[in-house]
């Protein structure tokens, strides 16, 4: 769970947002409260794929599947907006960590706990199958360990009997390592494919290791088709049940009722002390005040009717306090003559004019240096905002080109938890700043070549006549590199990373996506020379992507941290 960012709306539909729960290929998921105070999980489809018909079809089918399946093992659909953008759906919120998170933090689970979990998940899948639905993407990330038992989530590629399959541009549905061999070889995914995924998921829980190892998708999928599952060290009876579930021949796999019977559980999973302890790994619901909009505000996803005089009520600045001194950005929306005009504080509270010279107070100063060598800005006496040093603090050398390292860079992306360890700075005015990181495997339109990553950013709403706000993109591998660009043995990488040329966010149309392509557009300065960015295959694993606000080549700070997994994890 992460704090909301200034770019996030205060509401989606009638639901007030509390925090970010995570993000996936389809969109962002938020924790929210319904008007009556009920906790809900709200998934919003990403703007950049709204125009992709397959993505919309998947999203709509997920909503319809969740609406149709009524099970103790699935969260009920609360609300949805599927007719027009923005597209979103809200389901019951289940407190607790995912199985992936729990195992990543705790390690492999005891055999008895695995049996109880095995039986509960088999029962849950059976209840879904009873509605004629196959999940098709069952994996540890899609199992939430709730207080009343496990919950199955993310039915984005689930299918009912007789439904037409959505194409995947030649790719099999599901996740490598959990997708059944027959599906990888082109057959339809039936209930037996969910049994395979269940066995692979329990292999992960029992060993703490990916069931068919790590590597690029094609390598892992090859192992799933031709090699045995990894159950080394697992108690023999449990290992035998896992191996039966992941049999290469779907006809040889046991039915879910047989799985439950072979688990032979005698106690409730929720009474298992290890399972109860896993619930402690979940994250508490934020207790700070919800961000609110003033009376007459227009929630995200709500189309208002016309008001007298051709105007609609203007959203008020976000109210309430956010934990740790988070600062809300002020924004006002006025519609005059049918034209929407967003008036925002310039990002970072200032910057230079279009000629690179200062035209207002800067939010950065040379004396405000963070642990990563980036300017962090001062704190007001209340701790709720940034002090504004003099504009003279900006470097006289002109706008930034390639930012330089001035201190260790602590930004670090964890591909298992899918989040950054080092919290980045919150900037006043960072409203409606949107980012995207797309790997070749995630590229729905297949515009990227293997090994390429497209990184983009934009403002969702325009800010006319704003002073420049320079964005520098940084991509950092797990290992440090030498002056030749080769990976070293240093895994605690504190180098700045490979950077693209800084660009003014407001250059041209700020609402159009600005992209940089890795490795083509990235390089690093080492020993006085620029080193080209290496291919992803040189350092498989978690790569960190950071969006930095740059005042000069030596004054810059991280404002958004993200990342991606390029292959197997090392170490």
């Amino acid at each position: 769970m992460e704090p909301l960012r200034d770019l996030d709306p205060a509401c989606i539909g009638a639901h007030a947002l509390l925090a970010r729960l995570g993000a996936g290929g389809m969109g962002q998921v938020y924790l929210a409260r319904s008007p009556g105070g009920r906790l809900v999980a709200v998934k919003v489809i990403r703007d950049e794929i709204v125009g992709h018909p397959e993505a919309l079809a998947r999203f709509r089918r997920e909503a319809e599947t969740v609406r149709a399946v009524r099970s103790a093992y699935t969260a009920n659909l609360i609300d949805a907006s599927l007719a027009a953008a923005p597209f979103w759906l809200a389901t019951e919120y289940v407190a607790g960590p995912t199985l992936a998170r729990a195992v990543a933090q705790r390690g492999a689970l005891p055999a008895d706990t695995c049996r109880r979990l095995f039986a509960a998940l088999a029962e849950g899948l059976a209840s879904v199958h009873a509605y004629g639905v196959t999940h098709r993407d069952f994996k540890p990330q899609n199992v939430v360990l709730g207080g009343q038992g496990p919950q199955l989530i993310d039915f984005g590629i689930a299918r009912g009997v007789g439904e037409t399959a959505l194409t995947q541009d030649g790719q099999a549905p599901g996740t490598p390592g959990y997708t059944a061999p027959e599906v990888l070889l082109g057959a339809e995914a039936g209930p037996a494919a969910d049994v395979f995924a269940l066995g692979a998921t329990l292999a992960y829980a029992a060993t703490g290791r990916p069931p068919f190892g790590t590597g690029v998708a094609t390598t892992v999928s090859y192992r799933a088709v031709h090699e045995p599952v990894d159950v080394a060290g697992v108690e023999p009876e449990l290992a035998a049940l896992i191996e039966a579930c992941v049999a290469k021949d779907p006809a040889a796999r046991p039915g879910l009722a047989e799985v439950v019977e072979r688990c032979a559980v005698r106690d409730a999973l929720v009474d298992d002390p290890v399972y109860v302890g896993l619930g402690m790994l979940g994250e508490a619901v934020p207790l700070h005040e919800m961000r609110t909009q003033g009376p007459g505000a227009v929630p995200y996803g709500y189309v208002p009717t016309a008001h007298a005089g051709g105007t609609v009520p203007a959203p008020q600045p976000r109210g309430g306090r956010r934990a740790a001194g988070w600062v809300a950005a002020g924004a006002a929306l006025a519609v005059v003559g049918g034209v929407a005009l967003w008036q925002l504080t310039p990002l970072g509270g200032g910057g230079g004019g279009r000629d690179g010279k200062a035209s207002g107070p800067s939010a950065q100063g040379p004396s405000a240096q963070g642990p990563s060598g980036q300017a962090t800005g001062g704190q007001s006496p209340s701790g709720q905002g940034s002090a504004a040093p003099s504009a003279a603090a900006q470097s006289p050398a002109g706008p930034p080109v390639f930012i330089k390292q001035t201190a260790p860079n602590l930004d670090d992306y964890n591909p298992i938890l899918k989040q950054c360890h080092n919290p980045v700075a919150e900037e006043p005015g960072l409203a409606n700043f949107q980012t995207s990181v797309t790997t070749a495997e995630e590229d729905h339109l297949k515009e990227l070549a293997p090994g390429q990553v497209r990184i983009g950013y934009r403002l969702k709403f325009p800010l006319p006549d704003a002073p420049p706000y320079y964005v520098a993109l940084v991509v950092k591998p797990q290992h440090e590199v030498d002056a030749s660009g080769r990976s070293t043995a240093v895994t605690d990488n504190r180098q700045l990373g490979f950077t693209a040329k800084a660009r003014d966010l407001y250059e041209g149309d700020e609402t159009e996506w600005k992209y940089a392509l890795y490795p083509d557009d990235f390089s690093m300065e080492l020993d006085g020379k620029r080193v080209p960015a290496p291919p992803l295959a040189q350092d498989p694993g978690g790569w960190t992507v950071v969006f930095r606000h740059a005042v000069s080549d030596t004054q810059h700070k991280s404002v958004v941290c993200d990342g991606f997994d390029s292959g197997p994890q090392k170490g």
Side-chain angles (χ1 to χ4, degrees):
M1 190 179 299
E2 298 178 358
L4 292 170
R5 301 173 185 171
D6 286 330
L7 59 90
D8 294 318
C11 296
I12 293 177
H15 307 288
L17 301 191
L18 293 175
R20 287 178 161 226
L21 291 176
M26 290 289 290
Q28 179 71 44
V29 184
Y30 296 99
L31 174 66
R33 289 192 190 276
S34 70
R38 185 178 191 177
L39 288 176
V40 295
V42 181
K43 178 185 285 189
V44 185
I45 195 169
R46 287 163 42 197
D47 284 349
E48 58 264 40
I49 61 174
V50 162
H52 195 272
E54 276 184 23
L56 282 180
R58 283 182 57 183
F59 193 73
R60 288 178 174 135
R61 188 163 67 185
E62 177 175 7
E64 293 307 317
T65 300
V66 176
R67 190 195 308 275
V69 175
R70 294 292 193 178
S71 166
Y73 296 92
T74 61
N76 289 328
L77 185 71
I78 303 299
D79 196 4
S81 173
L82 305 174
F87 300 95
W88 55 269
L89 62 87
T91 63
E92 293 175 302
Y93 172 67
V94 181
T98 64
L99 179 59
R101 180 189 182 96
V103 173
Q105 293 192 10
R106 183 203 181 280
L109 306 183
D112 285 344
T113 302
C114 284
R115 284 192 187 86
R116 296 184 182 106
L117 182 60
F118 216 152
L121 291 175
E123 188 174 77
L125 273 177
S127 70
V128 171
H129 291 177
Y131 284 87
V133 172
T134 51
H135 190 287
R136 303 208 314 159
D137 197 18
F138 190 93
K139 57 186 177 182
Q141 292 89 335
N142 287 341
V143 174
V144 177
L145 305 180
Q148 301 303 312
Q151 296 275 307
L152 313 183
I153 63 171
D154 201 347
F155 286 81
I157 60 173
R159 276 189 59 205
V161 175
E163 285 184 344
T164 301
L166 295 177
T167 61
Q168 295 267 322
D169 295 318
Q171 296 185 32
T175 300
Y178 300 92
T179 303
E182 67 272 18
V183 178
L184 293 170
L185 296 174
E188 289 296 327
D194 280 350
V195 174
F196 179 94
L198 173 64
T201 295
L202 263 295
Y204 170 77
T207 65
R209 303 183 296 270
F212 292 96
T214 58
V216 296
T218 52
T219 300
V220 175
S221 296
Y222 177 88
R223 296 191 194 115
V225 173
H226 298 287
E227 297 180 7
V229 67
D230 176 10
V231 287
V234 178
E235 192 254 11
E237 288 187 6
L238 178 60
L241 180 54
I242 290 172
E243 289 171 330
C245 288
V246 298
K248 307 305 182 187
D249 180 1
R253 296 171 202 151
L256 292 169
E258 181 183 340
V259 172
V260 174
E261 182 179 354
R262 290 177 63 174
C263 287
V265 297
R266 294 180 175 83
D267 332 272
L269 175 64
V270 294
D271 293 330
D272 184 295
V274 174
Y275 183 85
V276 172
L278 294 177
M280 302 299 179
L281 300 176
E283 297 173 284
V285 175
L287 297 179
H288 59 274
E289 277 184 59
M290 291 186 296
R291 300 185 310 163
T292 57
Q293 291 177 312
V298 183
Y300 184 66
Y302 170 74
V303 181
T305 56
H307 287 251
T311 63
V312 296
Q316 302 301 309
R318 299 166 179 170
R321 293 181 302 162
R322 287 199 268 165
W326 300 341
V327 181
L333 172 61
V335 180
V336 181
V339 178
L341 171 65
W342 278 84
Q343 298 194 351
L344 310 176
T345 304
L347 297 181
R354 294 262 179 210
D355 58 358
K357 297 180 181 179
S359 62
S362 170
Q364 340 255 345
S367 62
Q369 292 292 321
S372 301
Q374 65 266 31
T376 60
Q379 287 293 319
S380 68
S382 66
Q384 296 294 315
S386 295
S390 164
Q394 181 159 325
S395 169
V401 182
F402 281 108
I403 61 173
K404 301 177 181 179
Q405 180 156 6
T406 58
N409 177 13
L410 304 181
D411 296 322
D412 183 39
Y413 176 77
N414 185 321
I416 298 175
L417 300 181
K418 298 187 183 303
Q419 64 186 33
C420 290
H421 286 302
N422 186 40
V424 297
E426 287 279 337
E427 280 213 346
L430 195 62
N432 302 304
F433 181 61
Q434 297 183 315
T435 65
S436 70
V437 178
T438 306
T439 64
E441 291 77 15
E442 298 170 329
D443 180 19
H444 298 287
L445 302 180
K446 298 302 169 190
E447 297 175 337
L448 298 178
Q452 288 186 324
V453 181
R454 185 175 58 227
I455 304 167
Y457 57 91
R458 71 161 186 170
L459 279 185
K460 186 170 184 180
F461 300 98
L463 179 55
D465 302 321
Y469 181 95
Y470 290 95
V471 177
L473 303 181
V474 179
V475 176
K476 189 176 81 167
Q478 294 183 109
H479 294 74
E480 291 190 358
V481 300
D482 60 22
S484 299
R486 292 186 296 265
S487 297
T488 68
V490 180
T491 56
D492 183 18
N493 185 356
R494 300 198 172 194
Q495 290 177 327
L496 174 62
F498 296 91
T499 63
K501 286 185 177 180
R503 295 181 62 185
D504 179 10
L505 175 62
Y506 301 107
E507 171 191 326
D509 184 350
E510 62 264 41
T511 64
E512 290 186 358
W513 287 93
K514 294 179 174 65
Y515 291 109
L517 196 64
Y518 186 91
D520 308 51
D521 300 327
F522 289 79
S523 60
M524 179 192 295
E525 184 178 282
L526 280 177
D527 296 342
K529 68 175 184 178
R530 297 217 66 85
V531 178
L536 299 180
Q538 174 175 295
D539 194 2
W543 288 60
T544 304
V545 176
V546 180
F547 299 77
R548 289 204 167 199
H549 176 194
V551 174
S552 71
D553 283 350
T554 56
Q555 295 182 49
H556 42 85
K557 69 174 180 177
S558 303
V559 291
V560 175
C561 182
D562 201 345
F564 58 91
D565 187 354
S566 71
Q569 303 300 301
K570 292 188 175 182

